[in-house]
Every structure is written in structure tokens, then in C-alpha cells.
Amino acid sequence: MVSAVFCMALTSCSESNELEVVDSVISTTGEEDYKYVGKETAGFKAEEWFPGGALGTTNNTVAGCYEDETPSTQNADLMAAFKRGELLFEHDFTPTSTASFAGLGPAYVRSSCIHCHPGYGHGKRMESYNADQRGNGYLLVIYHPVDGANSDDGPYISEVTGMPQTRAVAPFLPPIDESGIHLSWLPVMAMESGLPLQFPDGERYELIYPELSIDIDAFNTDPKPENLAFRLESTIGIMGTGLLDAIPEDSIKAQYQHEAPYVELNPNFWDKDANDWAAGAWYTLADGTKKIKRFTYAMTRASLQDGAGANAVWNITNVSRSDRPYLYTTTAWAQAMSKNPDVIAAIKRDPSSPYYNDGTDEGIAEAVAVLLDPKTNQFDNPYHNFQPEMTDNNFWSFMVWHRGLAIPRARDLNDKEVQRGKQLFNEIGCASCHRAKWTTGPDDYWAPSPIVSNNLSLPRYPNQVIYPYTDMIQHRLYMKNGIHGSWCRTTPLWGRGLSRINTGAEDRLHDCRARNEIEAIMWHAYSKKSDAYRSTEKFFYLPKADRDAIVKFLQSI
């Protein structure tokens, strides 16, 4: 996801983005940071120490702080559920998992959530694609390119799932064999925009990007896909996500209206002529409720309770539940497995297999084709007696945990360099996209049937002033081998300065190509077409001391 987006400066700034200088407590060092927490400093209001507001911020700023619960979770007496949800997040599912934490497969992306979210944060940059690597948050993106073979745009292929699976439970073969996935990292030799790979004061920076390919023979599908393009995406940090869910739709709409006159917005989301939502901005939830999309890089989900972790705990591990009573698979994979003689032979040796049917090759093939096909593997199909693997109570606990993760408080806001960094961040236009301040609404959240039907509650964040540093809108950066779909939601910057102590890395951007803040920033100026080019160009020409101040500011919020 876009990190440290330095979007084109708008000609007018919203009230929430104006720099207010308060001459009060100022310090030249962060060594006694605790003396200033909760107090106004030059350029920072007292509330900015607590970016998640009183209900969403943890005072913990050391290793493990990404795992903390919000005060709202504590206040609502939801800690038992939170802790159980945490166990589900960290649990390594297996085909023989206990009844309390059942399920895996038959095909899957990872065997646990924490595999992709090291230390509860952003995935790490990896040299290869390997689902067993802890911290490897990579997801494959496979699509049919349009406008040229290397186009970022085009529809997903149908032969594998939207989050392509590279693992399977025996005797099945994975939809994609990992041995056929080839990942390499290449250096940028020249910026398309013409900016040098060296700042005017002589300091150099390096940019790298991924080159990904997959052998056609690696696809265990029938038919095998054709005309393919590939991209990488990495998981993002999950702390504080419940607070973003609590931002009112009216406030997000006002932000679209504020930016629309100055920068091109995704026409699938925003009708510029009508100055209103386009049809593609709306998402229909399970009960028919329509809400505006706000989650994932491509903004494909409208509610935290029907997106991000709520969806991933099903489609990453393929652990079913009452509101997801079917497998995350494809017809092409089901057909390939039903025709594979080794799969048929292995099932034939195991009469207890749910795919055994009458024990004949034909009967087993029929069972495999039916039970692996998403068109026919609904759990109310009388052909089989599968039951949802995740209980409603466990799913509720998982969502209490997910919605209950706090954002760490800010640090060093008393430091003059940090204060200077914020001033520059605003002056060169970064806050045009990385809007600092939002206010949550009543937080009358939407919830799916397992939570509603059992009269269960989740943490709430009503009327909180929060500082996520995102405009909740998509922009385009035109990077080399960029993000699929071209448009990407502005990444919240809050808490990212604590990535290294929580995850062991500080990789940024949607595929972890940026190994630090400077690289993340300069990727925004790879092309002059980038929505962030003008602001990044200004950053490029700043003296080193000012560049360092912006980086220190980003590490403090």
C-alpha cells in the first residue's frame, strides 16, 4: 500500500491540515519524552500524542506495542474475547487442528495469520516466495494485462483464487507450485522522471523493484491460464484498523469533494461531474447493506467486519465458518484434481476420506470435482456432511481482537527536529494526501450474522479525534512494476516508526520495495505522472537536515 505518499499540494488546505504553532513546552532532546506526553509543543496539539484518541491509543511504545488492546476493549470487558482472538491470529492451523481451532485447506495461502503479519505489522521484503517463511507477507497477483504485456491493469484470472494459493493438504496439489515462482529484485538505473539518484548535496539513494514470473507448468489447474502478468502485494500493519472503520462516510465524502478540483480521482469511485460517489464506490454487505469502500490497497471492502482480517481468516487458511460455508477454491483447480491419477489413488487407499464416495475411480473423481468446486461445495449440499470449522464464538473473538488493536502513542513531539519535520511535511504538500486528523462518528458499526444473531458486541470508538495520516482515497504513483490496478489507497502513517522494533524491518510500500523512508518517498517521484511528483520534487531539493527532519517526524507519529 502506498506509504509516505507525498501528493501534489492542493491550492487550499483543509482546516485539519493547517499547521498550528504553539509556543509552550519545547525540548531539544527526546531523552525525557515522558515529561511532555499529553502537553502542547511547538506545532503539535496535546491530543496528537494520542493518535487513536483516548479510546484507541496504547501508551506502550516498545517492542510488542502493536499487539496491545485499546482502552475501549478493556472498558467494554472484552479482554477474554480479545485474548482468544489473539490465539486464533497466532495459531498455526493444520489438517488435524483441535476442534477448538479446527481446519486448514484443502488449498491455502498460509497456515496462520501471523505468518504474513510479523509482530502484527507490515510484511517483510523477501528474496523469494516461500509460504513457510515467517514474516513473508507476500500475496501473488495474477491477471490478464491490458494496454501491453507489462501493464499494471487488467482483470484477475479465474483459474486460481484472488489470493492465489500455493499450498494444499495431501493428497491434493497446490493450485500453484511454488517451485515455479521466480522473484528477483532489480535496481533502478534511472528515474523515468529524470530526477537523479543522488540528492543535490551528494547523498545517494537506491531504489529496487521486484520482477515476478510464474511458469505455466506450475499451475495445477484445468485449463491452465494464458496471457498473464504478475505483481506482488504485501500485507499491511493491522493496528488501529477499528478506528478507520469508525470514520463517518460523510467525512470521507467531504474529503473527496475537497480533493476533486485539484487532482484526478479514481472515476470508479468518484463522479467528478456530479461531485458525488460513482457506482463502484459502493459495496454490498452480506445482509444487503450498502457502504462506501475503504479497506485494502484497492479499496475493495467497506467494513472491517466484512474485509481485511474478517475475510482473510477464511480465504488465507481456508477455514470455513457459518457466514462463509464453502471453500475458497476454483472450478479449474477442482477439475485438475479430479483428473489427477495420483490424487485418485491416494483417496482410494483411505475409505475414511470425505472424497471416497463409492471407492471407484469414477466415484472418487466425481466427489473431488463436486466438493472442491465453489459452485457446488456449499455446506448445505446433501452430497456431503461438511460443517463450518470456525465457531461463531471464535469468529466473534477474532473480530474483537482485530477491531480492538490499539495504535501506539506518538513519540518525541517535543523534539525540535520532529517539529521542523512536521512543518516541512505540510509546507511541501505531503498532508494533501496524508491528511493528519479525522474525527470518528458514533461508530454504529456494521456486523455480520455470527455476531448479530448471537447478540455479541465489539469495541467502539465514538467521537474520537484521531491522527492516522491518510485521506482514505486512492492515488496513482506510476512506479516501475507498480501495483495492480494502478490506484492505491493512501497508507496510514501512524505507528509505522515503530516497525523495526516490532517486526525487525521497516520495509514500506505495497510490495516492500522501499527499505526505509527515503526510498519510500523517492518512489513517489519515479514518474512525472505520479500524483505525488511535485511534493516529492520539493523534498528532493531540500537540504539534508530538512530531509532528515521529515524522516524523524515520520518515525515519531
Side-chain angles (χ1 to χ4, degrees), residues 16 20 37 40 49 59 66 71 92 110 114 142 172 199 207 231 241 247 263 271 280 321 324 371 386 388 548:
S16 62
E20 179 179 341
V37 172
E40 289 186 343
W49 288 96
N59 273 304
Y66 284 177
D92 199 3
R110 299 289 193 282
I114 201 169
I142 309 173
F172 301 116
F199 294 108
L207 301 182
R231 291 290 184 268
T241 322
I247 296 175
V263 64
D271 185 330
R321 59 180 190 259
R324 295 283 199 278
L371 298 185
F386 287 172
D548 290 347

Side-chain angles (χ1 to χ4, degrees), residues 240-460:
T241 322
L243 292 155
L244 301 181
D245 198 48
I247 296 175
E249 287 184 354
D250 287 349
S251 297
I252 298 176
K253 182 177 181 178
Q255 184 66 21
Y256 274 82
Q257 292 173 328
H258 173 67
E259 293 189 26
Y262 310 109
V263 64
E264 183 181 357
L265 302 180
N266 188 341
N268 293 321
F269 282 73
W270 191 252
D271 185 330
K272 189 170 184 177
D273 293 335
N275 199 30
D276 205 346
W277 301 117
W282 295 97
Y283 181 82
T284 303
L285 297 161
D287 62 358
T289 301
K290 291 184 179 296
K291 291 181 70 69
I292 292 297
K293 298 172 184 176
R294 65 177 71 189
F295 289 108
T296 76
Y297 296 132
M299 298 214 311
T300 56
R301 297 284 171 167
S303 165
L304 185 62
Q305 288 69 246
D306 186 39
N311 199 46
V313 74
W314 167 66
N315 63 17
I316 294 295
T317 58
N318 226 334
V319 172
S320 58
R321 59 180 190 259
S322 64
D323 66 329
R324 295 283 199 278
Y326 47 90
L327 301 175
Y328 185 60
T329 53
T330 66
T331 299
W333 182 62
Q335 287 298 313
M337 294 302 96
S338 71
K339 297 175 182 179
N340 187 291
D342 293 335
V343 169
I344 302 302
I347 294 173
K348 196 169 187 176
R349 293 192 295 268
D350 181 13
S352 66
S353 169
Y355 307 93
Y356 188 76
N357 198 1
D358 61 5
T360 66
D361 288 359
E362 294 78 12
I364 292 171
E366 180 185 6
V368 170
V370 170
L371 298 185
L372 295 187
D373 193 328
K375 298 176 182 177
T376 54
N377 69 19
Q378 299 286 325
F379 283 17
D380 58 3
N381 187 327
Y383 194 88
H384 60 72
N385 61 355
F386 287 172
Q387 296 296 319
E389 295 156 323
M390 177 174 279
T391 66
D392 285 356
N393 190 71
N394 274 353
F395 176 55
W396 165 66
S397 296
F398 184 82
M399 290 314 303
V400 167
W401 165 83
H402 196 10
R403 207 170 204 272
L405 285 170
I407 198 74
R409 72 158 173 83
R411 289 83 50 209
D412 298 324
L413 304 189
N414 52 292
D415 187 292
K416 284 186 176 181
E417 188 177 4
V418 172
Q419 294 160 4
R420 174 66 176 157
K422 179 185 178 181
Q423 182 181 3
L424 290 163
F425 183 85
N426 284 273
E427 286 178 354
I428 67 176
C430 308
S432 298
C433 293
H434 283 286
R435 169 180 167 175
K437 178 181 176 183
W438 292 84
T439 302
T440 66
D443 197 13
D444 297 324
Y445 57 77
W446 179 88
S449 58
I451 293 174
V452 173
S453 61
N454 289 289
N455 197 30
L456 299 168
S457 63
L458 299 171
R460 295 179 60 244

Side-chain angles (χ1 to χ4, degrees), residues 113 116 155-156 197-198 251 297 302 330 340 413 474:
C113 302
C116 295
Y156 290 104
L197 292 168
Q198 178 175 301
S251 297
Y297 296 132
T330 66
N340 187 291
L413 304 189
Q474 292 178 311

Side-chain angles (χ1 to χ4, degrees), residues 162-285:
M163 290 188 177
Q165 299 153 324
T166 62
R167 294 299 169 99
V169 174
F172 301 116
L173 304 178
I176 301 174
D177 187 332
E178 288 185 8
S179 67
I181 301 172
H182 308 288
L183 172 62
S184 57
W185 289 92
L186 305 177
V188 170
M189 305 307 294
M191 299 280 273
E192 188 180 281
S193 64
L195 284 182
L197 292 168
Q198 178 175 301
F199 294 108
D201 53 30
E203 182 179 49
R204 295 189 59 83
Y205 62 93
E206 296 179 353
L207 301 182
I208 58 173
Y209 63 93
E211 191 78 63
L212 179 70
S213 65
I214 304 176
D215 299 335
I216 293 300
D217 288 343
F219 288 87
N220 293 306
T221 61
D222 183 16
K224 293 183 184 293
E226 298 177 340
N227 182 31
L228 304 180
F230 311 96
R231 291 290 184 268
L232 276 183
E233 288 184 7
S234 180
T235 51
I236 192 172
I238 48 182
M239 63 284 183
T241 322
L243 292 155
L244 301 181
D245 198 48
I247 296 175
E249 287 184 354
D250 287 349
S251 297
I252 298 176
K253 182 177 181 178
Q255 184 66 21
Y256 274 82
Q257 292 173 328
H258 173 67
E259 293 189 26
Y262 310 109
V263 64
E264 183 181 357
L265 302 180
N266 188 341
N268 293 321
F269 282 73
W270 191 252
D271 185 330
K272 189 170 184 177
D273 293 335
N275 199 30
D276 205 346
W277 301 117
W282 295 97
Y283 181 82
T284 303
L285 297 161

